[in-house]
Amino acid sequence: MKSCYIENISSISPQNTFGTEEFLDNIVERNPEMPYLSAIEPDYKLYILNAGLRRRMSHVIKMGVAAALECAKGSSVENPDAIITATGLGCLADTEKFLNSIVVNHEQLLNPTAFIQSTFNTIGAQIALILQNKGYNFTYVHRGFSFETALIDAMMQLTDDEATRVLVGAIDEITPSEYEVTKRLGFWRNGAVMGEGAQFFMLSSEKTESSYAELIDVHQFQLKDNEKADDRINSFLDKHSLTMKDVDLVVLGNSGDKLLDVPFQNFKSEISSNTPTAEFKHLCGEYHTAASFGVWCIANILKRQKLPFAMHPNGKVDKLERVLLYNSYQNVNHSIYLLEAI
Amino acid sequence: MSSYVTGIGVISAIGKNVKENLEALLAKRTGISCLTLFESTHDVPVGELKLSNEQLQQMLGLPITKTYSRTALLGMVAVKEALTDAGIKTNSGLRIGLISSTSAGGMDLSENFYKEMLAKPNGGRLRNVISHDCGDSTEKIADFVGIRDYVTTISTACSSSANAIMLADRMLKHNLLDVVVAGGIDPLCLFTINGFSSLMILDNELCRPFDETRAGLNLGEGAGFIVLQREDTLKDKKPYCQLAGYANENDSYHQTATSPDGDGPLRAMAGALKKAGLKPEDVDYVNVHGTGTGNNDQSEGTALKRLFGDKIPHFSSTKVYTGHILGAAGGIEAVYSILSITHDVVFSTYNFKNPMTDIMLTPVVDTIHNAGVNVVMSNSFGFGGNVSSLVFSSLKK
């Protein structure tokens, strides 16, 4: 595939990541009264100008649309050739709202707004409507593979010259009942913390002065019998004629769950102690598309040539030219990303 | 270079396999009837598959004691049929992917969970909520048929499975996979029945696509998948036809309605033809989106006239047989389009009577045999302005 450059990025997350020049300088800890990491929301009036539209939009739509518009605005071309969104659970609050109205109103005289907005491609569609974008518009909804397929799709578009700029974003929200259900399912029993957020990336086939990083490749996989993640990571590097020695930093998407993080422990023990590692899910929380926060961090690391203390508290790095991200969702959906400095 | 269709699989209200679906289409036998599988206060006709989940599990040889979403079960039937039809073994060393799509995901189970959870905190059986997300059915189907190399899921409302087929072709071209099973699934559930009812676009009678008297759509359920391969992996397998072209565009007009001038649909159809290197006059049959809603058929009809001018090819909506199967519509209608080419037949919208006064287009009302079908276009338009068009062509073209 052809080179693919990250021209602009944006993030609405549980950290101060939106509308600021700082990069994880002042870490926001979880509110001890809350069991999860909620996103810090901007003043949406500044981003979604139509008041009626803004009022109708749910939390996840506002996060997605504001992050997308901010990312597009800071790019050399505001209107991309394609818009690709990724989400694990889509517009969950609207889904619950409509389900609730079915039960409470006994299926009669229901307001369609929540139903309309519950559709998984609502955020991608709203971005297109606001930008009056008539191009390719896809939404991927596959757990810990949603964001990965979105990036692969974008890279294919750029390689085929079907697009020169693709806006790719990942969005997921927390709802109180989702927290209760996942808690009952044991998701937060072993150390992981639930999170949410919206990350958008303007990908371009052209390098510009302000580009953040080059996205070299993305690979998603499920482990077959007796297979280890290390083998897949090594063969991924091998495909690019690289070994772990050529990687300056490994960013790990471990969730903090001591049972599910086993592949990360194995991987860390495999790689040489000369390769520094960093983490990010303690900052954004765990969700289907949390890897997008990791990619947002790496784009910043490569552009600013700075590794935040919060991601890598003990140690130092010699250089920051090539970064590998290994992510896993529930130890089922695994993915590897390779990024390089411009 | 286009990819080749080597296998097809379908399950819908008109049959649990390709053979039964084809027989019903040829005989003009609709599957639209009363809802029987669950209770709803809406008395609307639906394209329901008259098999319970338990019967589907038995059919698939799955343990009756386990809980599966209807989405996963319908998908397993169609994906298994498509792979068997293509003669693809999942342990053959080829890199095989499953690209599925759905609008409802595991909602058929989770809507029951939610009701119980509303009634009392900690209520609801967890096994009814773990398959809620759209990726669950894809992973269950992949496990069932033994696909381990690649899975992903698309959800762009009613164009979902047409888009899954596009992604499949592009991944084959980029040599990321050797074989892809692509399509979509949607089950009937309270959520969608109430959703479309709240939009007041469900017809209380059999839907009447492209008819002046049309009053909305009938929902249906099912799954449709096709197997796509690159030429170099075909070996001695004779494909059905080629996926010649496709396009996805955004109408960018309204969250739920399509533009009255059919601008988005026109760009999708013209884009698909351009990619196929074909002209409008090459198209022999259009399997239209044709939902039977006032808005869709007016918009799509206008787009057809703008693209084809006075020479409108044969066209019909097969939704009078299956109902509108939302995320699965593009996959199921892709299967029907492929059948149209391989059996040289044009399917009908048998109950059509009165042309729309402003558009005056008449769909095919009787099955046409020996129709000379080489190129078929299949349209799927969804919420969010998501408009998609696929073009299949016989190997002669």
Side-chain angles (χ1 to χ4, degrees):
Chain A
M1 288 219 234
K2 269 209 281 201
S3 293
C4 165
Y5 302 96
I6 300 176
E7 188 177 300
N8 199 23
I9 59 176
S10 67
S11 167
I12 295 177
S13 77
Q15 300 301 325
N16 288 311
T17 51
F18 198 69
T20 171
E21 274 304 302
E22 66 172 85
F23 173 41
L24 303 175
D25 300 329
N26 300 295
I27 295 306
V28 180
E29 302 291 344
R30 176 168 58 88
N31 177 347
E33 284 166 25
M34 299 297 279
Y36 39 70
L37 282 159
S38 301
I40 299 168
E41 296 191 89
D43 181 359
Y44 288 119
K45 279 202 295 292
L46 304 174
Y47 303 93
I48 305 160
L49 306 178
N50 182 322
L53 189 66
R54 195 171 61 239
R55 230 182 353 262
R56 281 193 300 276
M57 284 179 173
S58 67
H59 166 59
V60 75
I61 302 175
K62 280 189 284 202
M63 277 201 299
V65 168
L69 295 178
E70 185 67 1
C71 185
K73 202 172 73 184
S75 303
S76 58
V77 176
E78 188 172 349
N79 223 335
D81 304 306
I83 297 169
I84 306 175
T85 51
T87 178
L89 290 168
C91 304
L92 192 58
D94 277 315
T95 306
E96 291 175 10
K97 194 170 166 185
F98 194 68
L99 273 172
N100 193 57
S101 74
I102 293 174
V103 177
V104 173
N105 301 316
H106 308 287
E107 302 187 50
Q108 298 304 310
L109 301 170
L110 306 180
N111 182 334
T113 305
F115 173 70
I116 293 166
Q117 295 195 154
S118 75
T119 314
F120 285 87
N121 63 332
T122 302
I123 299 166
Q126 285 294 328
I127 299 164
L129 265 176
I130 292 170
L131 290 177
Q132 275 300 296
N133 188 291
K134 296 180 187 294
Y136 181 91
N137 198 305
F138 264 38
T139 300
Y140 293 100
V141 291
H142 194 110
R143 299 182 166 171
F145 288 157
S146 315
F147 181 58
E148 288 72 6
T149 318
L151 285 178
I152 290 163
D153 185 353
M155 291 177 84
M156 290 195 292
Q157 301 262 347
L158 295 170
T159 300
D160 292 341
D161 291 324
E162 291 192 7
T164 56
R165 277 181 190 71
V166 183
L167 184 62
V168 180
I171 322 97
D172 268 303
E173 70 176 329
I174 295 170
T175 68
S177 48
E178 184 205 2
Y179 172 73
E180 288 304 324
V181 169
T182 48
K183 186 179 153 196
R184 283 175 64 191
L185 287 165
F187 276 39
W188 320 115
R189 195 183 289 154
N190 301 309
V193 177
M194 191 181 199
E196 64 175 2
Q199 278 73 234
F200 274 79
F201 303 85
M202 185 68 88
L203 300 184
S204 168
S205 51
E206 296 155 23
K207 180 163 53 174
T208 68
E209 270 178 24
S210 57
S211 299
Y212 276 76
E214 183 177 353
L215 177 64
I216 306 289
D217 201 0
V218 183
H219 179 61
Q220 67 186 61
F221 60 95
Q222 285 173 287
L223 290 173
K224 300 176 190 178
D225 311 326
N226 302 323
E227 205 181 19
K228 279 165 51 186
D230 313 10
D231 303 334
R232 299 294 287 254
I233 296 166
N234 286 326
S235 61
F236 171 85
L237 287 170
D238 194 48
K239 194 181 91 183
H240 292 279
S241 309
L242 297 170
T243 67
M244 200 46 84
K245 284 196 192 76
D246 304 307
V247 176
D248 303 319
L249 173 71
V250 174
V251 175
L252 299 170
N254 50 319
S255 66
D257 183 303
K258 58 183 185 290
L259 300 179
L260 293 174
D261 283 350
V262 169
F264 291 93
Q265 301 309 331
N266 293 341
F267 179 52
K268 266 173 102 165
S269 63
E270 285 278 321
I271 58 178
S272 138
S273 55
N274 296 329
T275 311
T277 59
E279 299 177 2
F280 64 92
K281 281 191 182 162
H282 58 297
L283 304 172
C284 67
E286 175 66 317
Y287 52 99
H288 290 94
T289 54
S292 63
F293 186 79
V295 175
W296 179 88
C297 290
I298 295 171
N300 269 309
I301 289 169
L302 290 170
K303 182 170 183 176
R304 296 164 188 250
Q305 287 293 301
K306 178 194 147 190
L307 178 56
F309 177 80
M311 292 181 72
H312 177 71
N314 40 18
K316 63 180 182 60
V317 283
D318 298 330
K319 64 176 176 149
L320 287 167
E321 277 171 21
R322 187 178 289 125
V323 181
L324 182 95
L325 167 64
Y326 166 46
N327 187 65
S328 149
Y329 180 75
Q330 293 289 317
N331 202 6
V332 173
N333 306 135
H334 302 263
S335 53
I336 323 166
Y337 301 71
L338 186 65
L339 293 100
E340 288 180 8
I342 298 292
Chain B
M1 188 186 71
S2 55
S3 56
Y4 292 85
V5 180
T6 57
I8 49 178
V10 64
I11 183 164
S12 74
I14 55 172
K16 56 187 182 299
N17 52 41
V18 171
K19 185 170 172 281
E20 289 179 10
N21 273 263
L22 178 62
E23 281 168 2
L25 289 170
L26 293 175
K28 305 197 292 182
R29 197 165 60 232
T30 184
I32 307 289
S33 65
C34 298
L35 182 68
T36 62
L37 286 169
F38 55 88
E39 297 278 326
S40 169
T41 61
H42 300 289
D43 184 21
V44 287
V46 287
E48 180 184 71
L49 173 74
K50 302 296 180 206
L51 287 171
S52 66
N53 284 17
E54 206 166 275
Q55 288 169 308
L56 287 168
Q57 278 167 247
Q58 265 162 352
M59 221 172 99
L60 291 160
L62 295 169
I64 299 300
T65 47
K66 281 191 81 176
T67 303
Y68 295 88
S69 69
R70 195 164 173 82
T71 319
L73 295 171
L74 294 169
M76 286 176 194
V77 174
V79 169
K80 188 180 166 194
E81 183 183 27
L83 274 172
T84 308
D85 186 36
I88 297 287
K89 299 227 172 6
T90 47
N91 57 2
S92 60
L94 293 167
R95 293 167 301 167
I96 306 172
L98 173 63
I99 301 177
S100 185
S101 62
T102 174
S103 74
M107 184 60 88
D108 61 300
L109 293 178
S110 48
E111 63 190 14
N112 294 316
F113 174 87
Y114 193 80
K115 207 187 294 176
E116 290 162 26
M117 193 178 73
L118 265 185
K120 76 172 193 275
N122 279 330
R125 294 192 184 109
L126 290 172
R127 64 175 176 225
N128 285 338
V129 75
I130 48 172
S131 44
H132 173 78
D133 70 288
C134 295
D136 176 82
S137 53
T138 312
E139 289 188 8
K140 294 263 166 61
I141 298 162
D143 276 349
F144 177 72
V145 297
I147 290 178
R148 306 298 297 272
D149 295 304
Y150 193 89
V151 289
T152 198
T153 312
I154 292 173
S155 193
T156 52
C158 306
S159 56
S160 299
S161 43
N163 292 343
I165 290 169
M166 290 183 206
L167 179 73
D169 180 74
R170 292 166 54 229
M171 291 196 70
L172 288 169
K173 273 185 189 149
H174 282 267
N175 199 19
L176 296 170
L177 293 167
D178 301 316
V179 178
V180 184
V181 193
I185 320 157
D186 258 319
L188 280 169
C189 57
L190 266 187
F191 190 84
T192 41
I193 289 178
N194 278 282
F196 284 89
S197 165
S198 73
L199 286 163
M200 293 185 278
I201 50 173
L202 289 184
D203 197 332
N204 291 320
E205 298 167 42
L206 179 65
C207 66
R208 295 176 297 285
F210 279 78
D211 199 294
E212 179 66 15
T213 68
R214 71 195 183 283
L217 57 88
N218 304 140
L219 286 170
E221 65 176 351
F225 283 85
I226 68 174
V227 177
L228 287 171
Q229 288 181 249
R230 266 193 323 273
E231 194 169 12
D232 60 281
T233 65
L234 286 178
K235 295 191 178 152
D236 47 7
K237 173 81 189 174
K238 189 181 174 295
Y240 286 116
C241 61
Q242 301 178 56
L243 173 61
Y246 46 81
N248 168 264
E249 303 272 335
N250 199 290
D251 194 36
S252 207
Y253 172 74
H254 187 269
Q255 185 65 29
T256 54
T258 318
S259 55
D261 60 3
D263 197 42
L266 173 68
R267 277 186 287 112
M269 290 191 282
L273 282 177
K274 187 177 168 216
K275 191 164 174 79
L278 294 170
K279 295 191 179 67
E281 54 266 35
D282 295 323
V283 177
D284 302 306
Y285 166 50
V286 185
N287 187 302
V288 293
H289 189 52
T291 56
T293 63
N295 171 247
N296 178 81
D297 297 359
Q298 185 277 330
S299 174
E300 189 173 15
T302 304
L304 287 170
K305 285 177 81 165
R306 285 175 67 188
L307 179 66
F308 294 105
D310 298 335
K311 297 186 184 108
I312 306 269
H314 291 315
F315 77 93
S316 65
S317 168
T318 44
K319 290 186 172 71
V320 292
Y321 303 107
T322 59
H324 184 6
I325 315 181
L326 308 177
I332 289 173
E333 287 160 26
V335 171
Y336 295 168
S337 299
I338 293 156
L339 288 172
S340 165
I341 291 174
T342 52
H343 292 265
D344 196 11
V345 64
V346 169
F347 305 119
S348 65
T349 301
Y350 75 95
N351 61 338
F352 174 85
K353 289 197 182 72
N354 318 292
M356 295 181 268
T357 50
D358 49 345
I359 304 214
M360 294 304 287
L361 289 179
T362 302
V364 170
V365 291
D366 254 316
T367 313
I368 307 173
H369 293 275
N370 304 314
V373 180
N374 286 303
V375 175
V376 178
M377 175 181 275
S378 173
N379 289 341
S380 299
F381 309 143
F383 276 11
N386 207 288
V387 287
S388 296
S389 197
L390 303 173
V391 174
F392 294 95
S393 73
S394 68
L395 302 176
K396 288 172 291 215
K397 274 276 170 183

